[in-house]
Amino acid sequence: MAVLAGTAMSQPAFQSPLTLPSAPSALAGRAPVNALAMAGTRLVSAGQRGHILFSDDEGKTWTQAAVPVSSDLTAIFFVDARQGWAAGHEGVILHSADGGATWQLQLDGQRAAQLVVHQYGQPSQPADASAERLARDAATFAAQGADKPFLDIYFENEREGFAIGAFNLILRTEDGGQRWTPWLDRVDNPDALHLYAMRPAAGTLFMVGEQGLTLKLDRERGRFVRVPLPYKGTLFGVLGTPQMVMVFGLRGNAWRSTDGGASWTRTNTGVNAGLAGGTARSDGSILLASQAGQLLRSTDDGASFDRVALGRVAPVFALAASTTQAVALGGPDGVRMEWLKNKEASRAQ
């Protein structure tokens, strides 16, 4: 008994990831990476335990950033070489003004829950079914605390942005993240499905989530409206060009629209694994990466894809186009770089 008591007393007290800064580690560069972004020419990664690293030499060397939390991070986005945001578990939103070298906490799940309760906790029209549902959601958010993760973050410029996540969680800022406003009532998502990704395409913003959920921003109404999609599987990502939007997700599914989401065509990707990430590159090509490690490239605005031969095949969680010829792939053991050449592409079967 005495031995057990002594062992229990020697255990360190639990410290919340929200109050525990990310610890410097020589192994941080080999830790799982969930998100990648370019800050100008700098490559920035984000992953477990609040680890954010940056590289100024296309992944040859990495520096660990100073991060005030140790929450797992799921998303990162930069609007230019200096201004960027990251988001993740425990409802954290972080901001950097120096290209990802240092970060400040802008919001956490406790404060996000308070915002939701303040906005929806006491509906002005209690008899309204939608208002009642939002009030119930607000009560659940308050009771469960800081457990709702943000799954993506996107900024249109250095002031206007969105953070989205589990159970229809969506917040908007118009001052660079100093203040956030819940938008749960401005999304056609009555089942509170998870929201996984948001990006610009075809002249507006598109957002995707569970069960084929696809939405686009109606700017005049200030609302994300449902877009019918002939696929009901989970979608992990969305990308686009001024003329095209592509959504992608489970079992190699990629769907393409050239009329703003009015009609969709399935693109043959030639893979069966989930598509975890994608990006439209500066040269006009499009890249998709699968959870099984396949890399796909399109040079016809997403109508077809070629398989890219890789130096090493390993699971991919995120990707970023570093230069015209280089792509960064993030996965369970950090970031690896692949250099693309035309002769390396073979038609996906």
Side-chain angles (χ1 to χ4, degrees):
M1 292 289 290
V3 173
L4 291 175
T7 301
M9 292 179 64
S10 66
Q11 294 293 326
F14 171 77
Q15 190 169 353
S16 169
L18 295 175
T19 60
L20 183 66
S22 183
S25 171
L27 300 177
R30 300 301 304 273
V33 167
N34 298 324
L36 290 165
M38 298 302 300
T41 58
R42 170 176 286 179
L43 178 60
V44 189
S45 71
Q48 291 186 351
R49 300 181 180 87
H51 286 163
I52 296 179
L53 294 92
F54 58 91
S55 174
D56 292 317
D57 55 11
E58 293 194 325
K60 295 182 179 68
T61 60
W62 292 88
T63 302
Q64 189 171 352
V67 180
V69 299
S70 54
S71 301
D72 291 348
L73 300 174
T74 59
I76 190 166
F77 186 83
F78 281 81
V79 295
D80 56 31
R82 300 191 64 81
Q83 300 289 334
W85 290 262
H89 288 256
E90 285 79 44
V92 301
I93 297 178
L94 305 168
H95 173 249
S96 175
D98 57 8
T102 61
W103 295 80
Q104 295 75 43
L105 181 65
Q106 285 191 331
L107 191 71
D108 61 46
Q110 297 285 0
R111 286 182 285 165
Q114 292 171 6
L115 291 173
V116 172
V117 170
H118 177 75
Q119 186 89 349
Y120 307 115
Q122 296 182 333
S124 58
Q125 297 179 331
D128 181 82
S130 177
E132 289 182 353
R133 175 179 56 81
L134 289 167
R136 290 194 300 270
D137 291 345
T140 300
F141 272 70
Q144 295 178 346
D147 73 330
K148 301 295 186 295
F150 287 112
L151 302 174
D152 198 14
I153 194 161
Y154 174 74
F155 272 71
E156 298 187 81
N157 51 58
E158 63 181 19
R159 297 186 62 81
E160 298 172 297
F162 290 92
I164 64 174
F167 301 106
N168 196 44
L169 179 59
I170 175 170
L171 304 180
R172 175 170 171 78
T173 181
E174 296 181 350
D175 57 9
Q178 296 301 312
R179 291 168 294 183
W180 293 87
T181 301
W183 264 43
L184 283 69
D185 59 326
R186 301 190 185 196
V187 180
D188 289 348
N189 185 17
D191 295 325
L193 300 174
H194 298 338
L195 305 172
Y196 282 118
M198 176 189 293
R199 285 297 182 269
T204 187
L205 294 181
F206 278 79
M207 182 165 55
V208 297
E210 290 184 290
Q211 299 180 23
L213 180 67
T214 304
L215 307 118
K216 71 175 182 179
L217 179 61
D218 184 327
R219 294 188 185 275
E220 291 186 2
R221 297 170 59 193
R223 183 176 187 84
F224 281 93
V225 296
R226 187 78 177 256
V227 176
L229 182 75
Y231 174 68
K232 301 306 177 185
T234 292
L235 299 169
F236 297 132
V238 56
L239 58 81
T241 65
Q243 296 79 33
M244 184 274 296
V245 56
M246 173 168 284
V247 300
F248 53 88
L250 287 174
R251 300 181 182 89
N253 269 278
W255 293 79
R256 176 177 180 266
S257 174
T258 56
D259 55 12
S263 62
W264 296 85
T265 301
R266 183 177 181 180
T267 298
N268 177 26
T269 63
V271 302
N272 294 317
L275 297 172
T279 188
R281 301 165 71 210
S282 59
D283 65 357
S285 64
I286 293 170
L287 296 177
L288 293 174
S290 81
Q291 294 168 331
Q294 297 124 330
L295 183 64
L296 311 173
R297 173 171 52 185
S298 172
T299 56
D300 56 8
D301 212 28
S304 63
F305 280 88
D306 298 332
R307 186 82 57 84
V308 177
L310 302 176
R312 180 169 69 92
V313 176
V316 175
F317 303 156
L319 81 162
S322 177
T323 67
T324 302
Q325 296 300 324
V327 58
L329 302 176
D333 57 356
V335 180
R336 72 183 193 274
M337 304 298 296
E338 294 283 349
W339 275 260
L340 307 179
K341 298 180 181 178
N342 289 335
K343 66 180 181 181
E344 291 179 337
S346 60
R347 177 66 59 185
Q349 302 296 322

